[in-house]
Coordinates of all heavy atoms in Angstrom, one line a residue:
M1 N -118.8 100.2 -38.7 CA -119.0 101.7 -38.7 C -120.0 102.1 -37.6 O -121.0 101.4 -37.4 CB -119.5 102.1 -40.1 CG -119.7 103.5 -40.2 SD -120.1 104.0 -41.9 CE -121.2 105.3 -41.7
K2 N -119.7 103.2 -37.0 CA -120.6 103.6 -35.9 C -120.8 105.1 -36.3 O -119.9 105.9 -36.6 CB -119.9 103.5 -34.7 CG -120.7 103.8 -33.4 CD -119.9 103.5 -32.1 CE -120.7 104.0 -30.9 NZ -121.1 105.4 -30.8
L3 N -122.1 105.5 -36.1 CA -122.4 106.9 -36.3 C -121.9 107.7 -35.0 O -122.0 107.2 -34.0 CB -123.9 107.1 -36.5 CG -124.6 106.5 -37.7 CD1 -126.1 106.6 -37.6 CD2 -124.1 107.3 -38.9
N4 N -121.5 108.9 -35.3 CA -121.2 109.8 -34.2 C -122.5 110.0 -33.3 O -123.6 110.2 -33.8 CB -120.8 111.1 -34.9 CG -120.3 112.1 -33.8 OD1 -121.0 112.5 -32.8 ND2 -119.0 112.5 -33.9
D5 N -122.3 110.0 -32.0 CA -123.4 110.1 -31.1 C -124.3 111.4 -31.3 O -125.4 111.4 -31.1 CB -123.0 110.1 -29.7 CG -122.6 108.7 -29.1 OD1 -122.9 107.7 -30.0 OD2 -122.1 108.5 -28.1
N6 N -123.6 112.4 -31.9 CA -124.3 113.6 -32.0 C -125.0 113.7 -33.4 O -125.6 114.8 -33.7 CB -123.3 114.8 -31.9 CG -122.8 114.9 -30.5 OD1 -123.5 114.7 -29.5 ND2 -121.5 115.2 -30.3
F7 N -124.8 112.7 -34.2 CA -125.3 112.8 -35.5 C -126.9 112.8 -35.4 O -127.5 112.1 -34.8 CB -124.9 111.5 -36.3 CG -125.4 111.4 -37.8 CD1 -124.6 112.0 -38.7 CD2 -126.5 110.8 -38.1 CE1 -125.0 112.0 -40.0 CE2 -126.9 110.7 -39.4 CZ -126.1 111.3 -40.4
G8 N -127.5 113.8 -36.2 CA -128.8 114.0 -36.0 C -129.7 113.1 -36.9 O -129.4 112.9 -38.0
V9 N -130.7 112.4 -36.3 CA -131.7 111.6 -37.0 C -133.1 112.0 -36.5 O -133.3 112.6 -35.4 CB -131.4 110.2 -36.6 CG1 -130.0 109.7 -37.1 CG2 -131.6 109.8 -35.1
Y10 N -134.0 111.6 -37.4 CA -135.5 111.8 -37.0 C -136.1 110.7 -36.4 O -135.8 109.6 -36.8 CB -136.2 112.3 -38.3 CG -135.7 113.5 -38.9 CD1 -134.8 113.6 -39.9 CD2 -136.2 114.8 -38.3 CE1 -134.3 114.8 -40.4 CE2 -135.7 116.0 -38.8 CZ -134.8 116.0 -39.9 OH -134.3 117.2 -40.4
V11 N -136.9 110.9 -35.3 CA -137.6 109.8 -34.6 C -139.0 110.2 -34.5 O -139.4 111.4 -34.5 CB -137.0 109.5 -33.3 CG1 -135.6 109.0 -33.4 CG2 -137.0 110.7 -32.3
C12 N -139.9 109.2 -34.4 CA -141.3 109.5 -34.1 C -141.5 109.8 -32.6 O -140.6 109.6 -31.9 CB -142.1 108.3 -34.5 SG -142.2 107.0 -33.3
P13 N -142.6 110.5 -32.3 CA -142.8 110.9 -30.9 C -142.8 109.8 -29.9 O -142.4 110.0 -28.7 CB -144.3 111.6 -30.9 CG -144.5 111.9 -32.4 CD -143.7 110.8 -33.2
H14 N -143.2 108.6 -30.3 CA -143.2 107.4 -29.4 C -141.8 107.0 -29.0 O -141.5 106.7 -27.9 CB -144.0 106.3 -30.0 CG -145.3 106.7 -30.5 ND1 -145.4 106.9 -31.9 CD2 -146.4 107.1 -29.9 CE1 -146.7 107.4 -32.1 NE2 -147.3 107.5 -30.9
V15 N -140.9 107.0 -30.0 CA -139.4 106.7 -29.8 C -138.8 107.8 -29.0 O -138.1 107.6 -28.0 CB -138.7 106.5 -31.1 CG1 -137.2 106.4 -30.9 CG2 -139.2 105.2 -31.8
F16 N -139.2 109.1 -29.4 CA -138.6 110.3 -28.7 C -138.9 110.2 -27.2 O -138.1 110.6 -26.4 CB -139.3 111.5 -29.3 CG -138.7 112.8 -28.8 CD1 -137.4 113.2 -29.2 CD2 -139.4 113.6 -28.0 CE1 -136.9 114.4 -28.7 CE2 -139.0 114.8 -27.4 CZ -137.7 115.2 -27.8
K17 N -140.2 109.8 -26.8 CA -140.6 109.8 -25.4 C -140.3 108.4 -24.7 O -140.8 108.1 -23.7 CB -142.0 110.1 -25.3 CG -142.4 111.6 -25.6 CD -143.8 111.8 -25.4 CE -144.5 112.2 -26.7 NZ -146.0 112.2 -26.6
N18 N -139.5 107.6 -25.4 CA -139.2 106.2 -24.9 C -140.5 105.4 -24.6 O -140.5 104.5 -23.7 CB -138.4 106.4 -23.6 CG -137.0 106.8 -23.9 OD1 -136.4 106.4 -24.9 ND2 -136.4 107.6 -23.0
E19 N -141.5 105.7 -25.4 CA -142.7 104.9 -25.2 C -142.6 103.6 -26.0 O -143.3 102.6 -25.9 CB -144.0 105.6 -25.7 CG -144.3 106.8 -24.7 CD -145.4 107.7 -25.3 OE1 -145.9 107.4 -26.4 OE2 -145.6 108.7 -24.7
S20 N -141.8 103.5 -27.0 CA -141.6 102.4 -27.9 C -140.1 102.2 -28.3 O -139.4 103.2 -28.4 CB -142.4 102.5 -29.1 OG -142.1 101.5 -30.1
P21 N -139.7 101.0 -28.4 CA -138.3 100.7 -29.0 C -138.4 101.1 -30.5 O -139.4 101.1 -31.1 CB -138.1 99.2 -28.8 CG -139.4 98.6 -28.7 CD -140.4 99.7 -28.1
V22 N -137.2 101.3 -31.1 CA -137.1 101.5 -32.5 C -137.3 100.1 -33.1 O -136.5 99.1 -32.9 CB -135.7 102.0 -32.9 CG1 -135.6 102.1 -34.4 CG2 -135.6 103.5 -32.3
L23 N -138.2 100.0 -34.0 CA -138.5 98.8 -34.8 C -138.4 99.0 -36.3 O -138.4 98.1 -37.0 CB -139.9 98.2 -34.4 CG -139.9 97.7 -33.0 CD1 -141.3 97.1 -32.7 CD2 -138.9 96.7 -32.7
V24 N -138.3 100.3 -36.7 CA -138.2 100.5 -38.1 C -137.1 101.6 -38.3 O -137.2 102.6 -37.6 CB -139.5 101.0 -38.8 CG1 -139.3 101.4 -40.3 CG2 -140.5 100.0 -38.6
G25 N -136.2 101.4 -39.1 CA -135.2 102.4 -39.6 C -135.3 102.7 -41.1 O -135.2 101.7 -41.8
I26 N -135.3 103.9 -41.4 CA -135.5 104.2 -42.8 C -134.3 105.2 -43.2 O -134.0 106.2 -42.5 CB -136.8 104.9 -43.2 CG1 -137.9 103.9 -43.0 CG2 -136.8 105.5 -44.6 CD1 -139.3 104.6 -43.0
R27 N -133.7 104.9 -44.4 CA -132.8 106.0 -44.9 C -133.4 106.5 -46.1 O -133.5 105.7 -47.1 CB -131.3 105.5 -45.2 CG -130.5 106.6 -45.4 CD -129.0 106.2 -45.3 NE -128.2 107.4 -45.4 CZ -126.9 107.5 -45.8 NH1 -126.3 106.4 -46.2 NH2 -126.3 108.6 -45.9
D28 N -133.9 107.7 -46.1 CA -134.8 108.2 -47.3 C -133.8 108.5 -48.5 O -132.6 108.4 -48.4 CB -135.6 109.3 -46.8 CG -134.9 110.6 -46.5 OD1 -133.7 110.8 -46.9 OD2 -135.5 111.4 -45.8
H29 N -134.5 108.9 -49.5 CA -133.9 109.2 -50.8 C -132.9 110.4 -50.7 O -132.0 110.6 -51.5 CB -134.8 109.4 -51.9 CG -135.6 108.2 -52.2 ND1 -135.1 107.1 -52.9 CD2 -136.9 107.8 -51.9 CE1 -136.0 106.1 -52.9 NE2 -137.1 106.5 -52.4
D30 N -133.0 111.3 -49.7 CA -132.1 112.3 -49.4 C -131.0 112.0 -48.5 O -130.1 112.8 -48.3 CB -132.9 113.5 -48.7 CG -134.0 114.1 -49.6 OD1 -133.8 114.1 -50.9 OD2 -135.1 114.4 -49.1
G31 N -131.0 110.7 -48.0 CA -130.0 110.3 -47.1 C -130.1 110.5 -45.7 O -129.3 110.2 -44.8
D32 N -131.3 111.0 -45.3 CA -131.6 111.3 -43.8 C -132.1 109.9 -43.3 O -132.8 109.1 -43.9 CB -132.8 112.3 -43.8 CG -132.3 113.7 -44.0 OD1 -131.1 114.0 -43.7 OD2 -133.1 114.5 -44.5
W33 N -131.7 109.7 -42.0 CA -132.2 108.6 -41.2 C -133.5 108.9 -40.4 O -133.5 110.0 -39.9 CB -131.1 108.1 -40.3 CG -130.2 107.0 -40.8 CD1 -130.5 105.7 -40.9 CD2 -128.9 107.2 -41.4 NE1 -129.3 105.0 -41.5 CE2 -128.4 105.9 -41.8 CE3 -128.1 108.3 -41.6 CZ2 -127.2 105.7 -42.3 CZ3 -126.8 108.1 -42.1 CH2 -126.4 106.8 -42.5
Q34 N -134.4 108.0 -40.4 CA -135.5 108.2 -39.6 C -135.9 106.9 -38.8 O -135.7 105.7 -39.4 CB -136.8 108.5 -40.5 CG -136.5 109.7 -41.5 CD -137.6 109.8 -42.5 OE1 -138.8 109.4 -42.2 NE2 -137.3 110.2 -43.7
F35 N -136.3 107.0 -37.6 CA -136.5 105.8 -36.8 C -137.9 105.9 -36.2 O -138.4 106.9 -35.7 CB -135.5 105.6 -35.7 CG -134.1 105.5 -36.3 CD1 -133.3 106.6 -36.4 CD2 -133.6 104.2 -36.6 CE1 -132.0 106.4 -36.9 CE2 -132.4 104.0 -37.1 CZ -131.5 105.1 -37.3
F36 N -138.7 104.7 -36.3 CA -140.0 104.7 -35.9 C -140.3 103.6 -34.9 O -139.6 102.6 -34.9 CB -141.0 104.6 -37.2 CG -140.8 105.7 -38.1 CD1 -140.1 105.6 -39.2 CD2 -141.4 106.9 -37.8 CE1 -140.0 106.7 -40.2 CE2 -141.3 108.0 -38.7 CZ -140.6 107.9 -39.8
C37 N -141.5 103.7 -34.4 CA -142.0 102.6 -33.5 C -142.7 101.5 -34.4 O -142.5 101.5 -35.6 CB -143.0 103.2 -32.5 SG -144.5 103.9 -33.3
D38 N -143.4 100.7 -33.8 CA -144.0 99.5 -34.5 C -145.3 99.9 -35.2 O -145.9 99.0 -35.9 CB -144.1 98.3 -33.6 CG -145.2 98.6 -32.4 OD1 -145.4 99.8 -32.2 OD2 -145.6 97.7 -31.8
D39 N -145.8 101.1 -35.0 CA -147.0 101.5 -35.7 C -146.8 101.9 -37.1 O -146.1 102.9 -37.4 CB -147.7 102.7 -34.9 CG -149.0 103.2 -35.5 OD1 -149.3 102.7 -36.7 OD2 -149.7 104.0 -34.9
E40 N -147.2 101.1 -38.0 CA -146.8 101.3 -39.4 C -147.4 102.6 -40.1 O -147.0 103.1 -41.1 CB -147.2 100.1 -40.3 CG -148.7 99.8 -40.4 CD -149.0 98.5 -41.1 OE1 -148.1 97.7 -41.2 OE2 -150.2 98.4 -41.5
N41 N -148.4 103.2 -39.4 CA -148.9 104.5 -39.8 C -148.3 105.7 -39.2 O -148.7 106.8 -39.5 CB -150.5 104.5 -39.7 CG -151.1 103.4 -40.4 OD1 -150.8 103.2 -41.6 ND2 -152.1 102.7 -39.8
C42 N -147.4 105.4 -38.3 CA -146.9 106.4 -37.4 C -146.3 107.5 -38.2 O -146.5 108.7 -37.9 CB -146.0 105.9 -36.4 SG -145.4 107.0 -35.2
H43 N -145.4 107.2 -39.2 CA -144.8 108.2 -39.9 C -145.6 109.2 -40.7 O -145.3 110.2 -41.1 CB -143.6 107.6 -40.7 CG -144.0 106.6 -41.8 ND1 -144.4 105.4 -41.4 CD2 -144.1 106.7 -43.1 CE1 -144.8 104.7 -42.6 NE2 -144.6 105.6 -43.6
E44 N -146.8 108.7 -41.0 CA -147.8 109.5 -41.8 C -148.6 110.5 -40.9 O -148.9 111.5 -41.3 CB -148.8 108.6 -42.6 CG -148.1 108.1 -43.8 CD -148.9 106.9 -44.3 OE1 -150.0 106.7 -44.0 OE2 -148.2 106.1 -45.1
K45 N -148.8 110.0 -39.6 CA -149.7 110.9 -38.8 C -149.0 111.6 -37.6 O -149.5 112.3 -36.9 CB -150.8 110.0 -38.2 CG -150.4 108.9 -37.4 CD -151.5 108.0 -37.0 CE -151.2 107.0 -36.1 NZ -152.0 105.8 -36.0
S46 N -147.6 111.4 -37.6 CA -147.0 112.0 -36.4 C -145.9 113.0 -36.9 O -145.3 112.8 -38.0 CB -146.4 111.0 -35.4 OG -145.4 110.2 -36.1
E47 N -145.5 113.9 -36.0 CA -144.5 114.9 -36.3 C -143.1 114.4 -35.9 O -142.9 114.0 -34.7 CB -144.9 116.1 -35.5 CG -144.4 117.5 -35.9 CD -144.7 117.9 -37.4 OE1 -145.8 117.5 -38.0 OE2 -143.9 118.5 -38.0
P48 N -142.1 114.3 -36.7 CA -140.8 113.8 -36.3 C -140.0 114.7 -35.4 O -140.2 116.0 -35.5 CB -140.1 113.6 -37.6 CG -140.7 114.4 -38.7 CD -142.2 114.7 -38.2
H49 N -139.2 114.2 -34.6 CA -138.3 115.0 -33.8 C -136.9 114.7 -34.2 O -136.5 113.6 -34.5 CB -138.5 114.6 -32.3 CG -139.8 114.9 -31.7 ND1 -140.2 116.1 -31.1 CD2 -141.0 114.2 -31.7 CE1 -141.4 116.1 -30.7 NE2 -141.9 115.0 -31.0
L50 N -136.1 115.7 -34.1 CA -134.6 115.5 -34.4 C -133.9 115.3 -33.1 O -133.9 116.1 -32.1 CB -134.1 116.8 -35.1 CG -132.7 116.7 -35.6 CD1 -132.5 115.7 -36.7 CD2 -132.2 118.1 -36.2
I51 N -133.1 114.2 -33.0 CA -132.3 113.9 -31.8 C -130.9 113.4 -32.3 O -130.7 113.0 -33.4 CB -133.0 112.9 -30.9 CG1 -133.0 111.5 -31.6 CG2 -134.3 113.4 -30.4 CD1 -133.4 110.4 -30.5
G52 N -130.0 113.3 -31.3 CA -128.7 112.7 -31.6 C -128.9 111.2 -31.6 O -129.5 110.6 -30.7
V53 N -128.2 110.5 -32.5 CA -128.4 109.1 -32.6 C -127.9 108.3 -31.4 O -128.3 107.2 -31.1 CB -127.8 108.5 -34.0 CG1 -126.3 108.6 -33.8 CG2 -128.3 107.2 -34.3
G54 N -127.0 109.0 -30.6 CA -126.5 108.3 -29.5 C -127.6 107.9 -28.4 O -127.4 107.0 -27.8
H55 N -128.7 108.7 -28.4 CA -129.8 108.4 -27.6 C -130.4 107.0 -27.9 O -130.9 106.3 -27.1 CB -130.9 109.4 -27.7 CG -130.5 110.7 -27.1 ND1 -130.3 111.0 -25.8 CD2 -130.2 111.9 -27.8 CE1 -129.9 112.2 -25.6 NE2 -129.8 112.8 -26.7
L56 N -130.4 106.8 -29.2 CA -130.9 105.5 -29.7 C -130.0 104.3 -29.6 O -130.4 103.2 -29.2 CB -131.3 105.6 -31.2 CG -132.3 106.7 -31.5 CD1 -132.5 106.7 -33.1 CD2 -133.6 106.6 -30.8
T57 N -128.7 104.5 -29.9 CA -127.8 103.4 -29.9 C -127.4 103.0 -28.5 O -127.1 101.8 -28.2 CB -126.5 103.7 -30.7 OG1 -125.9 105.0 -30.2 CG2 -126.8 103.9 -32.1
Q58 N -127.6 103.9 -27.5 CA -127.5 103.6 -26.0 C -128.5 102.6 -25.7 O -128.2 101.6 -25.0 CB -127.6 104.8 -25.1 CG -126.3 105.4 -24.8 CD -126.5 106.7 -24.0 OE1 -127.5 106.9 -23.3 NE2 -125.6 107.6 -24.1
A59 N -129.8 102.7 -26.1 CA -130.8 101.9 -25.8 C -130.8 100.6 -26.6 O -131.1 99.5 -26.1 CB -132.2 102.6 -26.0
D60 N -130.3 100.7 -27.8 CA -130.3 99.5 -28.7 C -129.0 99.6 -29.6 O -129.1 100.2 -30.7 CB -131.5 99.5 -29.6 CG -131.6 98.3 -30.6 OD1 -130.5 97.6 -30.6 OD2 -132.6 98.1 -31.2
P61 N -127.9 99.0 -29.2 CA -126.7 99.0 -29.9 C -126.8 98.5 -31.4 O -126.0 98.8 -32.2 CB -125.7 98.2 -29.1 CG -126.3 98.2 -27.7 CD -127.8 98.2 -28.0
T62 N -127.8 97.6 -31.6 CA -127.9 97.1 -32.9 C -128.2 98.2 -34.0 O -128.1 97.9 -35.2 CB -129.0 95.9 -33.1 OG1 -130.3 96.5 -33.0 CG2 -128.8 95.0 -32.0
I63 N -128.7 99.3 -33.6 CA -129.0 100.4 -34.5 C -127.7 100.8 -35.2 O -127.8 101.4 -36.3 CB -129.7 101.5 -33.7 CG1 -131.1 101.2 -33.4 CG2 -129.6 102.9 -34.5 CD1 -131.8 102.1 -32.4
N64 N -126.6 100.6 -34.6 CA -125.3 100.8 -35.3 C -125.2 100.1 -36.6 O -124.5 100.5 -37.5 CB -124.1 100.6 -34.4 CG -123.9 101.7 -33.3 OD1 -123.9 102.8 -33.6 ND2 -123.8 101.2 -32.1
E65 N -125.9 98.9 -36.7 CA -125.8 98.1 -37.9 C -126.4 98.8 -39.1 O -126.1 98.5 -40.2 CB -126.4 96.7 -37.7 CG -125.8 95.9 -36.6 CD -126.7 94.7 -36.4 OE1 -127.5 94.3 -37.1 OE2 -126.4 94.1 -35.2
L66 N -127.4 99.7 -38.8 CA -128.1 100.4 -39.9 C -127.3 101.5 -40.6 O -127.8 102.0 -41.5 CB -129.4 101.0 -39.3 CG -130.3 100.0 -38.5 CD1 -131.7 100.6 -38.3 CD2 -130.4 98.7 -39.4
T67 N -126.1 101.7 -40.2 CA -125.3 102.6 -41.0 C -124.9 102.0 -42.3 O -124.4 102.8 -43.2 CB -123.9 102.9 -40.2 OG1 -123.2 101.7 -39.9 CG2 -124.2 103.6 -38.9
C68 N -125.2 100.8 -42.5 CA -125.0 100.2 -43.9 C -126.1 100.5 -44.8 O -126.0 100.2 -46.0 CB -124.8 98.7 -43.7 SG -126.3 97.8 -43.3
L69 N -127.2 101.1 -44.3 CA -128.3 101.4 -45.2 C -127.9 102.4 -46.3 O -127.3 103.4 -46.1 CB -129.5 102.0 -44.4 CG -130.3 101.1 -43.5 CD1 -131.3 101.9 -42.7 CD2 -131.0 100.0 -44.3
K70 N -128.3 102.1 -47.5 CA -128.1 103.0 -48.6 C -129.3 103.9 -48.7 O -130.3 103.7 -48.1 CB -127.9 102.2 -50.0 CG -126.8 101.3 -50.0 CD -126.6 100.7 -51.4 CE -125.4 99.8 -51.5 NZ -125.6 98.6 -50.7
H71 N -129.1 105.0 -49.4 CA -130.2 105.9 -49.7 C -131.4 105.1 -50.3 O -131.2 104.3 -51.2 CB -129.8 107.0 -50.7 CG -128.9 108.0 -50.2 ND1 -128.7 109.3 -50.7 CD2 -127.8 107.9 -49.2 CE1 -127.8 109.9 -50.1 NE2 -127.2 109.1 -49.2
G72 N -132.6 105.4 -49.8 CA -133.8 104.6 -50.3 C -133.9 103.2 -49.9 O -134.5 102.4 -50.6
S73 N -133.5 102.9 -48.7 CA -133.7 101.6 -48.1 C -134.1 101.7 -46.7 O -134.0 102.7 -46.1 CB -132.4 100.7 -48.3 OG -131.3 101.2 -47.6
F74 N -134.4 100.5 -46.2 CA -135.0 100.5 -44.8 C -134.6 99.2 -44.1 O -134.1 98.2 -44.7 CB -136.5 100.7 -44.7 CG -137.2 99.5 -45.3 CD1 -137.7 98.5 -44.4 CD2 -137.6 99.5 -46.6 CE1 -138.4 97.4 -45.0 CE2 -138.2 98.4 -47.2 CZ -138.7 97.4 -46.3
A75 N -134.8 99.2 -42.8 CA -134.6 97.9 -42.0 C -135.8 97.9 -41.0 O -136.2 98.9 -40.5 CB -133.3 97.9 -41.2
Q76 N -136.3 96.7 -40.7 CA -137.2 96.6 -39.6 C -137.1 95.3 -38.9 O -136.4 94.3 -39.4 CB -138.6 96.6 -40.4 CG -138.8 95.5 -41.3 CD -140.2 95.6 -42.0 OE1 -140.9 96.5 -41.9 NE2 -140.6 94.5 -42.7
K77 N -137.6 95.2 -37.7 CA -137.6 94.0 -37.0 C -138.9 93.9 -36.2 O -139.6 94.8 -35.9 CB -136.4 94.0 -36.0 CG -136.2 95.1 -35.1 CD -134.9 94.9 -34.3 CE -134.5 96.0 -33.4 NZ -133.3 95.8 -32.6
I78 N -139.2 92.6 -35.9 CA -140.5 92.2 -35.3 C -140.5 92.7 -33.9 O -141.5 93.3 -33.3 CB -140.8 90.8 -35.4 CG1 -140.5 90.2 -36.7 CG2 -142.2 90.4 -35.0 CD1 -141.5 90.4 -37.8
H79 N -139.5 92.3 -33.1 CA -139.4 92.6 -31.7 C -138.1 93.3 -31.5 O -137.2 93.2 -32.3 CB -139.4 91.3 -30.8 CG -140.6 90.5 -31.1 ND1 -141.9 90.9 -30.6 CD2 -140.8 89.3 -31.6 CE1 -142.8 90.0 -31.0 NE2 -142.1 89.0 -31.5
A80 N -138.0 93.9 -30.4 CA -136.7 94.6 -30.0 C -135.5 93.8 -30.1 O -134.4 94.1 -30.4 CB -136.8 95.3 -28.6
N81 N -135.7 92.4 -29.8 CA -134.6 91.5 -29.8 C -134.4 90.7 -31.0 O -133.6 89.8 -31.1 CB -134.7 90.6 -28.6 CG -134.6 91.3 -27.3 OD1 -133.9 92.3 -27.1 ND2 -135.4 90.9 -26.3
S82 N -135.2 91.0 -32.1 CA -135.1 90.2 -33.3 C -133.9 90.9 -34.2 O -133.4 91.9 -33.9 CB -136.4 90.4 -34.1 OG -137.5 90.0 -33.4
E83 N -133.6 90.1 -35.2 CA -132.6 90.6 -36.2 C -133.3 91.6 -37.2 O -134.5 91.5 -37.5 CB -132.2 89.3 -37.1 CG -131.4 88.2 -36.3 CD -130.1 88.7 -36.0 OE1 -129.3 89.2 -36.8 OE2 -129.7 88.6 -34.8
W84 N -132.5 92.5 -37.6 CA -132.9 93.4 -38.6 C -133.2 92.7 -39.9 O -132.3 91.9 -40.3 CB -132.0 94.6 -38.8 CG -131.8 95.6 -37.7 CD1 -130.7 95.6 -36.8 CD2 -132.7 96.5 -37.3 NE1 -131.0 96.6 -35.9 CE2 -132.2 97.2 -36.2 CE3 -134.0 97.0 -37.8 CZ2 -132.8 98.2 -35.5 CZ3 -134.6 98.0 -37.2 CH2 -134.1 98.6 -36.0
E85 N -134.3 93.1 -40.6 CA -134.5 92.7 -42.0 C -134.5 93.8 -42.9 O -135.1 94.8 -42.5 CB -135.8 91.9 -42.1 CG -135.8 90.6 -41.3 CD -137.2 90.0 -41.2 OE1 -138.0 90.3 -42.2 OE2 -137.5 89.3 -40.3
Y86 N -133.8 93.7 -44.0 CA -133.6 94.9 -44.9 C -134.4 94.9 -46.1 O -134.9 93.8 -46.7 CB -132.1 94.9 -45.3 CG -131.2 95.1 -44.1 CD1 -130.7 94.0 -43.4 CD2 -131.0 96.4 -43.6 CE1 -129.9 94.1 -42.3 CE2 -130.1 96.5 -42.5 CZ -129.6 95.4 -41.8 OH -128.8 95.6 -40.8
G87 N -134.8 96.1 -46.6 CA -135.5 96.1 -47.9 C -135.3 97.5 -48.6 O -134.6 98.3 -48.0
E88 N -135.9 97.6 -49.7 CA -135.7 98.9 -50.5 C -137.0 99.6 -50.4 O -138.1 99.0 -50.4 CB -135.5 98.5 -52.0 CG -134.3 97.7 -52.2 CD -133.1 98.4 -52.4 OE1 -133.1 99.5 -53.1 OE2 -132.1 98.0 -51.8
L89 N -136.9 100.9 -50.3 CA -138.1 101.9 -50.3 C -138.6 101.8 -51.8 O -137.9 101.7 -52.7 CB -137.8 103.3 -49.9 CG -137.3 103.4 -48.5 CD1 -137.0 105.0 -48.3 CD2 -138.5 103.1 -47.5
E90 N -139.9 102.2 -51.9 CA -140.5 102.2 -53.3 C -140.2 103.5 -54.0 O -139.9 104.5 -53.3 CB -142.0 102.0 -53.2 CG -142.4 100.6 -52.8 CD -143.8 100.5 -52.6 OE1 -144.6 101.4 -53.0 OE2 -144.2 99.4 -52.1
Ligands
ZN1 ZN1 -144.4 106.2 -33.3

């Protein structure tokens, strides 16, 4: 499954400005997707931006794998080239 390129997702400012690859993908309890850099505090202290997911999947096609995320779960990876590891939100 592949998300439509225009599908809106939230990203942190670092991902938005291409300062960091996406290393964390979250599907929250409302079903919204959010993508973050490697700073684990980023989502608490930064303002999210809404973009089309095509901007992300162009840079990292493995983000298409995250369409399998259920509500209330997440995926993360150590480096841009690592495998996604999945978990549940608390
Ligand atoms: Zn960030």
Side-chain angles (χ1 to χ4, degrees):
M1 179 174 146
K2 184 177 180 299
L3 292 172
N4 186 299
D5 282 352
N6 297 319
F7 186 83
V9 298
Y10 293 96
V11 298
C12 81
H14 311 103
V15 170
F16 184 75
K17 289 185 245 168
N18 286 323
E19 291 171 2
S20 170
V22 172
L23 295 181
V24 179
I26 293 172
R27 192 163 189 208
D28 68 19
H29 294 287
D30 297 324
D32 287 328
W33 267 278
Q34 304 169 34
F35 296 95
F36 297 103
C37 63
D38 60 347
D39 179 348
E40 59 187 26
N41 297 316
C42 187
H43 60 287
E44 280 161 21
K45 62 187 187 200
S46 64
E47 203 52 39
H49 295 268
L50 184 65
I51 65 169
V53 73
H55 293 286
L56 301 181
T57 53
Q58 262 174 27
D60 181 355
T62 72
I63 287 170
N64 285 311
E65 296 172 22
L66 303 192
T67 56
C68 69
L69 285 177
K70 297 187 177 70
H71 291 207
S73 63
F74 68 91
Q76 62 184 8
K77 53 184 178 178
I78 314 278
H79 303 291
N81 297 323
S82 306
E83 296 285 312
W84 290 107
E85 293 173 27
Y86 298 92
E88 304 270 316
L89 294 177
E90 290 173 15

